[in-house]
Amino acid sequence: MSKSSQTGDEDRRTGPKRSEASRIAVQQAAIVELNEHGWRGFSVDRVAKRAKASKQTIYKWWQGPALLAVEAVLDTLPEIVEEDGNPEFKVAALISPLIAAMRNGDGAHIWRGVLLAAADDPDASEVFREWMHRDIRQPLRHVLAREANLGHIRRDWEIDFALELLVGPIWQRLLGMRGPIPERYAERLAESVMAYHYKDAPKG
Amino acid sequence: MSKSSQTGDEDRRTGPKRSEASRIAVQQAAIVELNEHGWRGFSVDRVAKRAKASKQTIYKWWQGPALLAVEAVLDTLPEIVEEDGNPEFKVAALISPLIAAMRNGDGAHIWRGVLLAAADDPDASEVFREWMHRDIRQPLRHVLAREANLGHIRRDWEIDFALELLVGPIWQRLLGMRGPIPERYAERLAESVMAYHYKDAPKG
Amino acid sequence: MSKSSQTGDEDRRTGPKRSEASRIAVQQAAIVELNEHGWRGFSVDRVAKRAKASKQTIYKWWQGPALLAVEAVLDTLPEIVEEDGNPEFKVAALISPLIAAMRNGDGAHIWRGVLLAAADDPDASEVFREWMHRDIRQPLRHVLAREANLGHIRRDWEIDFALELLVGPIWQRLLGMRGPIPERYAERLAESVMAYHYKDAPKG
Amino acid sequence: MSKSSQTGDEDRRTGPKRSEASRIAVQQAAIVELNEHGWRGFSVDRVAKRAKASKQTIYKWWQGPALLAVEAVLDTLPEIVEEDGNPEFKVAALISPLIAAMRNGDGAHIWRGVLLAAADDPDASEVFREWMHRDIRQPLRHVLAREANLGHIRRDWEIDFALELLVGPIWQRLLGMRGPIPERYAERLAESVMAYHYKDAPKG
DNA sequence: AGATAAACGAGACGGTACGTCACGTCTTAGG
DNA sequence: CCTAAGACGTGACGTACCGTCTCGTTTATCT
């Protein structure tokens, strides 16, 4: 669960705790709504009605529709696991859960919504950026740093560019949205990142 | 000017013509509004008020806020010009007007709005996609096809992937939006496309 | 035809005359529209479209929708004819064309619209009032003045009250509008006027 | 208060009640607007602005501008009180609150608006008709029925006609609207009703 | 026979209001 | 104190009509 949906304080003393049932109902409803109406038609009122929750409760735990949508979907991603293999494979592994999610039925539609929600709202954007930083950029830096021939890729802007090469094309796919995501898409993106960086690598 | 804001028929015989002054006022107002309030706060009412136009007129010529925003900005892009030079340079030239626009003052903010507007609405998305197809994908295909070592890049999905590698990272930049777009960005994207495709190229 | 739809000047020198065909088409269309949509939904745009006339033409000859509606209907009333008979009969004759019109198919609906149109707009109201003055109040005054026993009914407010007794109930019918106008309605109204005034008459 | 502005259910259990302050502010604003702009210029937007209420709230409790106007004014009428005296006086008493309201400053203007609003809209018309039925027609029937010499006035259409004689002239006054309502107007109308019906009465 | 001018169809335009929808805040009552 | 239910002010949506205006065509009368 992301930060903003946590209580944060541990010394709360009285009254009932936050209802987990309510949280789950709201997030599930949010995903269904995002799928059925897209980000454009996403509405807190409808989520509340569907989840049989009150708007007050939603606004208490989420700052607004954008954060609600973004967190609801991000919370469904699996934990990141360190994979073994050659660096290309490791890089591909960073985005393959994302790509798997998008291939899964309405996944593309939903993730499109997330992207838009994140872009619409500064706070949601921040949450999204943090997720990407933690779950993709950080591991990516590790892989690149440890890889013998790419040890020279260290500076922030270099990592940023690698990240852009890795995930940017996914957004283009998502926004253009023609047909399903092809096979081996993650692998090809990883190859592209590698190809760009190896060209500067010291030959050996 | 994009398709939907043209009359299309040349044999209309009577009645006043579409007011060019009104069209320009509306599109300029739209850009200002997009800059000041972002896509989230973009409102036809305000555009109308600022342009001293009536909502009815706007809705007559544009289907809604999304198309209004997208066209207003796309119409400001310069015509595409064929450039000379090596293939990498030619590819970079395809996106450098876009990148130049984004570097220009509020450009990034505005283009972010365009991207969101296009993603929010199917029709705006279509207009945006057509623009990209015509102004970027088509020339890209030409460059790749003529380039000796890349003549094997022919199939649609190959072009699509090259396109994704070329523009995807820009969207990631735009959505993440930290700091300005670095120097030689277009060139680096072009290099990345080339690096990926040359790796499959028959060695010569 | 009422005043405002006449040209008024005889020294026009050049150009075509007012098109009678257009005038008729517009007035007929107006009546149909008044019937189909009531006064609430009466729209110059639709009248113009139905009559294949241009709005400009309509606004040239009529000041606005209210006058258009009122005149269109008033122009369908027959000329007033002096009738013979006892005073009660003569009084009834003053309103029987009106009542006949209201009984005629959609007449009630249409006249309801006229009443509303007249009340909505000062100019239309004036036209309506003039019609009533000329076609009902004036003849009514004559009848009352000539009738032996009612010669004492002379002052303006007395005539006005008689007029109110005579036509007021019709408006109440029109606004309440339950069921058709009963038989002998005009006669009963005339009786009521007489009954009220005879009670003050010098016995003889 | 009229029917449509009541909640109707008494077993609602949770949530805020309807705000009485808002209801009052809206109805008062409605009356002021009706007075200043007449029915023609009556606009929900302006009422909302003046009452510092939201359009949504207004549309929640009133079906539209017509019902808003009609109810706002009808709600200002005093309760009906049974009066003592001869039948003529009793009949006059039925309409004297109405006539008093019309004499009161801008009353005529406002009531004119009510009449038009009621005529413009079927639902408003129904509310108006119900009010008239309950507050005028019903008591009128009682008075006529109990009066020795008029016991023969029983059938619906007879009552209806009496009602038309009684209130119709008021509408004619309201629509023609020249000068103030004269003195003893209610009494004269009552006399007229009586005069008409006594003429058929069995001589005693 | 032009030239002149008005009438006319079509319809674009700036406005204002309509009736609906969503946001985010606030109020009430139940657990 | 958390929650469901939902009323409320704010403001945008997309549509309809008003009354003015500009086009280009079609008559009539005047030179």
Side-chain angles (χ1 to χ4, degrees):
Chain A
M1 196 188 335
S2 340
K3 182 179 149 207
S4 79
S5 50
Q6 291 173 343
T7 304
D9 288 351
E10 66 276 45
D11 59 332
R12 264 194 316 94
R13 281 166 302 160
T14 174
K17 307 269 193 322
R18 173 176 187 184
S19 153
E20 193 69 359
S22 157
R23 186 185 65 82
I24 292 171
V26 168
Q27 290 195 325
Q28 283 177 348
I31 290 180
V32 174
E33 287 289 329
L34 199 55
N35 182 34
E36 286 185 2
H37 302 281
W39 170 242
R40 187 114 213 260
F42 187 81
S43 127
V44 175
D45 289 56
R46 258 205 310 271
V47 170
K49 190 148 274 180
R50 184 188 286 272
K52 299 203 177 208
S54 99
K55 288 210 291 172
Q56 182 72 335
T57 303
I58 294 182
Y59 277 101
K60 179 173 187 64
W61 301 111
W62 292 274
Q63 219 174 319
L67 269 167
L68 173 54
V70 169
E71 282 190 18
V73 177
L74 289 188
D75 280 7
T76 65
L77 281 182
E79 295 288 312
I80 43 174
V81 218
E82 191 77 20
E83 300 269 2
D84 279 341
N86 62 15
E88 216 167 284
F89 181 75
K90 283 183 183 171
V91 168
L94 296 177
I95 53 173
S96 47
L98 181 59
I99 288 180
M102 290 181 191
R103 262 201 274 259
N104 180 355
D106 306 309
H109 202 190
I110 291 173
W111 273 88
R112 194 182 209 216
V114 172
L115 193 63
L116 289 172
D120 242 8
D121 178 89
D123 298 300
S125 174
E126 186 56 25
V127 167
F128 189 72
R129 214 188 58 83
E130 274 171 15
W131 162 76
M132 189 175 293
H133 202 271
R134 179 169 23 82
D135 279 23
I136 303 186
R137 193 180 183 279
Q138 210 81 285
L140 177 64
R141 149 177 260 144
H142 265 89
V143 173
L144 293 184
R146 288 194 184 148
E147 175 60 16
N149 287 330
L150 296 177
H152 60 295
I153 313 285
R154 284 233 166 76
R155 275 162 298 185
D156 270 0
W157 66 262
E158 288 172 321
I159 306 287
D160 282 341
F161 191 62
L163 182 64
E164 283 162 20
L165 288 181
L166 189 60
V167 302
I170 302 177
W171 309 146
Q172 165 67 13
R173 272 251 133 212
L174 220 45
L175 298 176
M177 264 258 282
R178 306 268 121 153
I181 297 181
E183 305 222 356
R184 286 192 22 86
Y185 195 67
E187 287 76 8
R188 279 201 270 145
L189 290 179
E191 282 171 31
S192 136
V193 171
M194 293 320 205
Y196 176 78
H197 286 100
Y198 272 126
K199 89 182 152 42
D200 299 333
K203 306 295 174 186
Chain B
M1 195 189 335
S2 332
K3 187 179 146 206
S4 78
S5 49
Q6 290 175 343
T7 303
D9 288 351
E10 68 276 79
D11 58 330
R12 244 189 345 92
R13 281 166 304 150
T14 179
K17 304 272 198 325
R18 173 176 185 182
S19 155
E20 194 70 357
S22 156
R23 185 186 64 80
I24 291 172
V26 168
Q27 289 194 326
Q28 283 177 347
I31 289 179
V32 175
E33 287 289 330
L34 199 55
N35 182 34
E36 286 185 1
H37 302 280
W39 170 242
R40 185 105 208 266
F42 187 82
S43 123
V44 175
D45 286 50
R46 257 205 313 269
V47 171
K49 186 154 276 181
R50 183 186 287 270
K52 300 200 179 210
S54 92
K55 283 210 290 175
Q56 192 72 349
T57 301
I58 294 183
Y59 278 103
K60 178 172 189 64
W61 299 112
W62 292 276
Q63 222 172 317
L67 267 168
L68 173 55
V70 169
E71 280 192 20
V73 177
L74 289 188
D75 279 8
T76 65
L77 280 182
E79 294 289 310
I80 44 176
V81 221
E82 192 77 18
E83 300 271 3
D84 277 343
N86 61 16
E88 216 166 282
F89 181 75
K90 283 183 182 170
V91 168
L94 297 176
I95 52 172
S96 48
L98 181 59
I99 287 180
M102 289 180 191
R103 262 200 276 258
N104 181 353
D106 307 310
H109 203 189
I110 292 173
W111 273 88
R112 191 183 212 215
V114 172
L115 193 63
L116 291 173
D120 240 8
D121 178 271
D123 299 298
S125 172
E126 186 57 23
V127 167
F128 189 72
R129 213 188 59 82
E130 273 171 18
W131 162 77
M132 188 174 295
H133 202 271
R134 178 170 24 82
D135 278 24
I136 302 186
R137 192 180 183 280
Q138 210 82 286
L140 177 63
R141 147 177 260 142
H142 265 89
V143 173
L144 293 185
R146 289 200 183 140
E147 175 59 17
N149 288 328
L150 297 177
H152 60 294
I153 312 285
R154 283 233 167 77
R155 278 161 296 185
D156 271 358
W157 67 262
E158 287 171 322
I159 306 287
D160 282 340
F161 191 62
L163 182 65
E164 284 161 19
L165 288 182
L166 189 60
V167 301
I170 304 178
W171 310 146
Q172 165 66 13
R173 271 251 134 212
L174 221 44
L175 298 176
M177 265 257 282
R178 305 270 123 154
I181 296 181
E183 306 225 355
R184 286 190 24 82
Y185 196 66
E187 288 75 8
R188 279 199 270 148
L189 289 179
E191 283 171 31
S192 136
V193 171
M194 293 319 204
Y196 177 78
H197 286 101
Y198 272 127
K199 90 183 150 42
D200 301 332
K203 306 293 175 185
Chain C
M1 195 188 335
S2 338
K3 183 180 149 205
S4 78
S5 49
Q6 289 175 345
T7 304
D9 287 352
E10 67 278 45
D11 59 331
R12 257 194 326 95
R13 283 166 305 160
T14 174
K17 304 267 196 327
R18 172 175 188 185
S19 154
E20 193 70 359
S22 158
R23 185 185 64 82
I24 291 172
V26 168
Q27 290 194 326
Q28 283 177 348
I31 289 179
V32 174
E33 287 288 329
L34 199 55
N35 183 34
E36 286 186 0
H37 302 280
W39 169 243
R40 186 112 211 259
F42 188 82
S43 127
V44 175
D45 288 54
R46 257 205 312 269
V47 170
K49 190 147 274 179
R50 183 188 287 270
K52 300 206 176 206
S54 98
K55 288 210 292 171
Q56 184 72 331
T57 304
I58 293 181
Y59 277 101
K60 179 173 186 63
W61 300 112
W62 291 274
Q63 218 174 319
L67 269 167
L68 173 54
V70 169
E71 282 191 17
V73 177
L74 289 188
D75 280 8
T76 64
L77 280 182
E79 294 288 312
I80 43 173
V81 218
E82 191 78 18
E83 300 270 2
D84 278 342
N86 61 17
E88 218 166 281
F89 181 76
K90 284 182 181 170
V91 168
L94 296 177
I95 53 173
S96 47
L98 181 60
I99 287 181
M102 289 181 191
R103 263 201 274 257
N104 181 355
D106 307 309
H109 203 190
I110 293 173
W111 273 87
R112 194 182 211 214
V114 171
L115 192 63
L116 289 173
D120 243 8
D121 178 271
D123 299 299
S125 172
E126 186 56 24
V127 166
F128 189 72
R129 214 187 59 82
E130 275 171 15
W131 163 77
M132 189 175 294
H133 202 271
R134 179 169 22 83
D135 278 23
I136 302 186
R137 192 180 183 280
Q138 210 81 286
L140 176 64
R141 148 177 260 143
H142 265 89
V143 173
L144 293 184
R146 288 195 185 146
E147 174 61 16
N149 288 329
L150 296 176
H152 60 294
I153 312 285
R154 283 232 167 76
R155 277 161 296 185
D156 271 358
W157 65 263
E158 287 171 322
I159 306 288
D160 282 340
F161 191 62
L163 182 64
E164 284 161 19
L165 288 182
L166 190 61
V167 302
I170 303 178
W171 310 145
Q172 165 66 13
R173 271 252 134 210
L174 221 44
L175 299 176
M177 263 260 280
R178 307 269 124 156
I181 297 181
E183 305 222 355
R184 288 195 19 86
Y185 195 67
E187 288 75 9
R188 278 201 269 148
L189 289 178
E191 281 171 32
S192 135
V193 172
M194 293 320 204
Y196 177 78
H197 287 100
Y198 272 127
K199 89 182 150 43
D200 300 333
K203 307 294 175 184
Chain D
M1 196 191 333
S2 331
K3 185 178 148 208
S4 78
S5 48
Q6 289 174 342
T7 305
D9 289 351
E10 66 277 64
D11 58 330
R12 245 190 344 91
R13 281 167 304 152
T14 178
K17 304 273 197 327
R18 173 177 186 183
S19 154
E20 194 69 358
S22 157
R23 184 185 65 81
I24 291 171
V26 168
Q27 290 195 326
Q28 284 177 348
I31 289 179
V32 175
E33 287 289 328
L34 199 55
N35 182 35
E36 287 186 1
H37 302 279
W39 171 242
R40 186 107 209 264
F42 187 82
S43 123
V44 174
D45 286 51
R46 258 205 312 270
V47 170
K49 186 154 276 181
R50 182 187 288 271
K52 302 205 176 205
S54 93
K55 284 210 289 174
Q56 190 72 349
T57 301
I58 294 181
Y59 278 102
K60 179 174 187 65
W61 300 112
W62 293 275
Q63 220 173 321
L67 267 168
L68 173 55
V70 169
E71 281 191 20
V73 178
L74 289 188
D75 280 8
T76 64
L77 280 182
E79 295 288 311
I80 42 173
V81 219
E82 191 78 19
E83 301 270 3
D84 278 341
N86 61 16
E88 217 166 282
F89 180 76
K90 284 182 182 171
V91 168
L94 296 177
I95 52 173
S96 48
L98 180 60
I99 288 181
M102 289 180 190
R103 262 201 275 258
N104 181 355
D106 305 309
H109 203 189
I110 293 172
W111 273 88
R112 193 184 209 210
V114 171
L115 193 63
L116 290 174
D120 242 8
D121 178 272
D123 298 299
S125 171
E126 186 57 23
V127 166
F128 189 72
R129 213 188 59 83
E130 273 171 17
W131 162 76
M132 189 175 295
H133 202 270
R134 179 168 23 83
D135 278 23
I136 303 186
R137 192 179 184 279
Q138 209 82 287
L140 176 64
R141 151 178 256 144
H142 265 87
V143 173
L144 293 185
R146 291 205 181 138
E147 174 60 16
N149 288 329
L150 296 177
H152 61 293
I153 312 285
R154 285 231 166 77
R155 277 162 296 185
D156 270 359
W157 67 261
E158 287 172 321
I159 306 286
D160 282 339
F161 191 61
L163 181 65
E164 284 161 19
L165 288 182
L166 189 60
V167 301
I170 303 177
W171 311 145
Q172 166 65 15
R173 272 250 133 213
L174 221 45
L175 298 175
M177 264 258 283
R178 305 271 122 152
I181 297 181
E183 305 223 355
R184 286 194 21 87
Y185 195 67
E187 288 75 10
R188 279 201 268 146
L189 290 179
E191 283 171 31
S192 135
V193 171
M194 292 321 203
Y196 177 78
H197 286 102
Y198 273 126
K199 89 181 150 43
D200 300 332
K203 307 293 175 185

